[in-house]
Amino acid sequence: MVKHVFSKAGLGWTAAAVALVAILLFACQGGGGGKEGGRAGRGITTGSAGDAASATYVPPGDLDKYYLFYSGGHSGNIYVAGIPSMRHISTIPVFTPYPATGYGFDDESKAMLGGYTWGDCHHPSISKTNGEYDGRWLFINENANNRVARIDLRDFKTKQIFGPIPNLSGNHGSAFVTANTEYVTYASRFSVPVPRGTYASIDQYASSYKGVVGCLKVDPNTGEMSNGFQILTPPFNWDLGSTGRGPSADWVAWTCYNSERATGELEKTAGANDRDYAIVVNWREAAAAAASGKGKDIGGVPVLDPKEVPGLCYLVPVPKSPHGVDFGPDGTYFVTSGKLEAVTTVYSFQKLQDAIAAKKFTGEEDGIPVLDYDAVIDREVQIGLGPLHTQYDDKGYAYTSLFIDSAIAKWDPKTGEVLDTIPVAYNIGHLMVPGGDSSKPYGEYVVALNKLSHGRHLNVGPSQPESSQLIDITGDKMKLLYDAFTEPEPHYAEACPAELLKPIEVYPKEENKDPMAVWDIKDAGITRNGNVVDVKMVMVRSTLYPTAIEVNKGDTVKIHMTNIEQTTDELHGFAINLYNINLVVDPGETKHVTFTADKQGVFPFYCTNFCSALHQEMQGYFLVK
């Protein structure tokens, strides 16, 4: 076993050397843009262009093999693409209004957004059963406003946004689900005084500010999320998480930076310690402790203090300024990487358990024991510069993104042997193997989620898209197949076999239990109760019934629209000129919009979603007296 010990002075030289190498590599790769576009000018090789084209070609009418779910970063959306074609298929609006589908305009989705008009989503997480993706739901965290959303993969629609989560500030280390989707996990990126709303001077940061890690409970039948529990932590910046599987299924881990508890210019003040930490939490025991009343209610959540409830969590020293912590497919080990070190560390879950049992601690932080690093690691591996995040294939190999090297390393976590490295363009963040966060990786491909694209596309001005690259990992050597470009910003992604999902294309009429739904044009109409006007509208090719809606200025208008089509792809829209209203109603669906008729006059309404040859004729008038 090799132990690397870094002095502070040595770290300074190391950081400088790393930066210099990064600059040189970046320059060699053509970073910063150049007149000579294309991969030949960028130092990226694909091997045979014909082989790459054949490997990603999906003939017209044929379907991709995998669904790929990208997080949309600060766009607040999820993007759906296919692998291997990398074609964008659809956008699932989650934390941001999206006029294309009318999301955020109807009463239900507007209420779900809770007054927020954007979100910063990072890590999609497909629900699991026995550690394997089961294709029921997709969860996604939101960093800016401390929320988690659930998307039902039966219809690819957002069904719940939970939050803001109490006591949490910056929900970055989320939304990784446990092995049977018992919980959605989360952790605070930013520490603040707890409960939210408490003031404390920044000079008191080290003692009065707190981080939290916790879990949202998930109803096993509906997927509905509710508050579970939280654990108070020192004011570290919790970064990325991973949930165990197999023997480690009851555990969850998160990495942190700023174990120095520093403030100000963190790039300078948060680099003093030789190592940072991962926190490992036995979520099952923590849930039981909270259920037995050992926590304190803070903001409506049972909060456990490790000083008062020991034995729930432990700190593991990890390489400096880490990002990823990633359990292997069988749950017997996990891997962490430090952005400011050139090593990736493999930890044995059994050694971790033995060290806990033997109390091999080297100290504690606010009541949380610090495990002896040498007692819990299997090995350190030097795989390249700026290691960030690791995924696994179906053959037992690991793939780690190298931010500074702009590359992916393939290596064997059981031996530490580095087997291959492939350059990517450029400055990769996360990477993704289909099934890579589960007990059943599917292999075949790794997708590099790159932070910079640097002109590997038609020039679209200064606001350049992000870059994703599809890489074949079926052979001994990785092969770059395809460049794709996305809206900002695909922090992370998950992918599953297409056959795992069985989405509906029409909402069956018999499942529509909405009391305001009408299915025959004779039932469409307008009723008044005081100054409240209810409109039951039928949408069907090629008329919106009723064709005229007359109200008084100041009336509250509630339009309940049902698309009675039972044919696929027959969506209908509804917009009113100058009223900032635009809904899209899927076949068999009922939606509602409530507004005040605050402008007098005559305002056309019409179908916004092309539906038939007589789509233009699908219109009417909203008359306000």
Side-chain angles (χ1 to χ4, degrees):
M1 179 175 61
V2 178
K3 178 181 178 182
H4 296 261
V5 179
F6 298 91
S7 68
K8 292 180 182 178
L11 282 167
W13 283 107
T14 301
V18 165
L20 177 61
V21 171
I23 292 169
L24 292 172
L25 285 171
F26 194 55
C28 291
Q29 291 165 346
K35 295 180 180 179
E36 189 177 292
R39 62 177 180 269
R42 302 292 181 178
I44 305 298
T45 58
T46 62
S48 165
D51 289 347
S54 176
T56 59
Y57 179 64
V58 177
D62 284 1
L63 306 177
D64 281 291
K65 187 173 182 179
Y66 295 97
Y67 280 105
L68 171 61
F69 298 99
Y70 286 111
S71 80
H74 46 281
S75 79
N77 299 324
I78 292 279
Y79 304 121
V80 184
I83 296 176
S85 76
M86 299 298 283
R87 295 178 299 197
H88 174 260
I89 301 171
S90 72
T91 296
I92 304 173
V94 185
F95 297 109
T96 303
Y98 190 62
T101 62
Y103 184 79
F105 291 81
D106 64 287
D107 291 350
E108 292 77 13
S109 60
K110 186 185 296 183
M112 196 161 51
L113 288 170
Y116 294 97
T117 57
W118 78 288
D120 184 12
C121 55
H122 280 245
H123 311 120
S125 184
I126 300 172
S127 58
K128 299 175 191 171
T129 299
N130 296 325
E132 298 181 14
Y133 296 161
D134 60 23
R136 290 180 294 165
W137 309 300
L138 180 70
F139 298 88
I140 181 78
N141 66 314
E142 200 268 296
N143 185 57
N145 303 302
N146 316 318
R147 297 176 290 173
V148 177
R150 174 176 52 86
I151 296 153
D152 193 331
L153 292 178
R154 181 175 183 251
D155 61 1
F156 283 51
K157 298 287 179 65
T158 302
K159 295 300 172 68
Q160 184 187 13
I161 296 177
F162 189 91
I165 298 170
N167 309 319
L168 183 67
S169 187
N171 183 25
H172 188 269
S174 184
F176 311 99
V177 302
T178 54
N180 285 292
T181 321
E182 299 95 335
Y183 287 95
V184 172
T185 61
Y186 61 83
S188 57
R189 175 181 171 187
F190 313 108
S191 293
V192 296
V194 172
R196 186 179 296 131
T198 303
Y199 171 79
S201 165
I202 197 69
D203 296 333
Q204 300 172 285
Y205 182 84
S207 57
S208 297
Y209 286 53
K210 297 294 179 184
V212 297
V213 298
C215 290
L216 296 176
K217 191 172 184 179
V218 179
D219 185 291
N221 297 313
T222 66
E224 195 78 1
M225 295 176 285
S226 59
N227 275 318
F229 64 87
Q230 294 178 351
I231 298 174
L232 280 181
T233 75
F236 305 153
N237 295 68
W238 298 111
D239 196 9
L240 205 61
S242 180
T243 52
R245 50 208 66 141
S248 56
D250 292 347
W251 292 76
V252 55
W254 291 273
T255 53
C256 83
Y257 56 96
N258 192 23
S259 59
E260 295 83 357
R261 311 186 189 208
T263 58
E265 298 177 74
L266 292 188
E267 64 175 329
K268 300 177 182 175
T269 59
N273 292 343
D274 285 351
R275 292 195 178 96
D276 286 297
Y277 295 120
I279 187 172
V280 290
V281 176
N282 187 318
W283 60 261
R284 192 177 294 280
E285 290 190 6
S292 64
K294 294 181 179 177
K296 178 182 179 182
D297 188 304
I298 303 178
V301 184
V303 179
L304 301 159
D305 187 338
K307 293 177 183 174
E308 300 170 0
V309 191
L312 303 178
C313 55
Y314 303 88
L315 293 170
V316 179
V318 299
K320 194 179 186 67
S321 192
H323 193 49
V325 52
D326 303 288
F327 278 95
D330 64 5
T332 61
Y333 64 93
F334 62 92
V335 168
T336 68
S337 302
K339 297 192 292 286
L340 299 184
E341 287 195 12
V343 298
T344 289
T345 306
V346 182
Y347 298 80
S348 161
F349 182 71
Q350 185 58 55
K351 288 183 179 178
L352 185 141
Q353 295 298 300
D354 294 342
I356 292 172
K359 299 186 184 303
K360 292 185 177 179
F361 306 141
T362 58
E364 60 88 24
E365 297 266 12
D366 293 3
I368 306 176
V370 178
L371 288 162
D372 181 350
Y373 179 74
D374 289 327
V376 297
I377 72 166
D378 261 350
R379 62 185 50 83
E380 292 178 333
V381 184
Q382 294 184 326
I383 59 174
L385 298 178
L388 287 184
H389 178 221
T390 299
Q391 290 269 276
Y392 308 94
D393 69 10
D394 55 335
K395 303 179 184 68
Y397 297 124
Y399 299 80
T400 298
S401 57
L402 304 173
F403 176 81
I404 294 175
D405 275 348
S406 282
I408 293 174
K410 173 184 178 180
W411 56 285
D412 188 339
K414 290 185 170 53
T415 65
E417 182 183 5
V418 177
L419 303 167
D420 189 26
T421 300
I422 186 170
V424 297
Y426 297 96
N427 292 96
I428 182 173
H430 285 279
L431 74 175
M432 190 284 306
V433 174
D437 283 324
S438 76
S439 299
K440 187 178 181 181
Y442 294 93
E444 290 197 73
Y445 306 100
V446 61
V447 176
L449 301 167
N450 306 317
K451 296 300 183 184
L452 304 177
S453 54
H454 274 307
R456 288 169 62 88
H457 46 74
L458 291 174
N459 192 338
V460 291
S463 295
Q464 299 199 3
E466 314 300 331
S467 158
S468 297
Q469 293 181 297
L470 183 71
I471 296 166
D472 181 348
I473 58 173
T474 56
D476 292 337
K477 298 295 182 183
M478 294 179 279
K479 297 177 182 177
L480 177 61
L481 299 177
Y482 197 82
D483 277 13
F485 304 98
T486 68
E487 294 284 316
E489 181 185 6
H491 290 282
Y492 194 36
E494 285 195 349
C496 67
E499 62 191 18
L500 188 65
L501 307 188
K502 307 293 181 187
I504 60 171
E505 295 186 278
V506 171
Y507 291 102
K509 177 182 177 182
E510 58 273 17
E511 292 185 11
N512 188 326
K513 306 299 182 186
D514 193 305
M516 302 306 285
V518 286
W519 293 89
D520 193 310
I521 58 174
K522 68 178 177 53
D523 297 321
I526 303 170
T527 59
R528 171 179 289 277
N529 183 11
N531 67 342
V532 178
V533 177
D534 281 285
V535 180
K536 292 183 178 178
M537 174 175 283
V538 166
M539 315 171 86
V540 65
R541 286 165 287 176
S542 295
T543 303
L544 299 165
Y545 300 95
T547 57
I549 302 170
E550 187 167 297
V551 302
N552 299 321
K553 185 178 180 182
D555 281 347
T556 297
V557 181
K558 299 181 177 181
I559 304 178
H560 318 281
M561 51 201 82
T562 301
N563 179 346
I564 68 172
E565 308 272 4
Q566 290 287 278
T567 303
T568 64
D569 213 6
E570 284 300 336
L571 288 65
H572 294 301
F574 177 82
I576 304 178
N577 274 192
L578 299 177
Y579 263 85
N580 194 35
I581 290 172
N582 172 45
L583 276 70
V584 176
V585 188
D586 295 346
E589 189 179 33
T590 298
K591 284 187 176 178
H592 314 268
V593 62
T594 301
F595 62 99
T596 301
D598 56 0
K599 290 186 280 286
Q600 185 172 313
V602 176
F603 306 90
F605 61 77
Y606 67 103
C607 176
T608 51
N609 204 97
F610 182 85
C611 54
S612 71
L614 297 177
H615 167 70
Q616 289 293 87
E617 285 79 358
M618 202 166 177
Q619 64 178 55
Y621 285 98
F622 179 59
L623 305 100
V624 184
K625 294 187 288 186

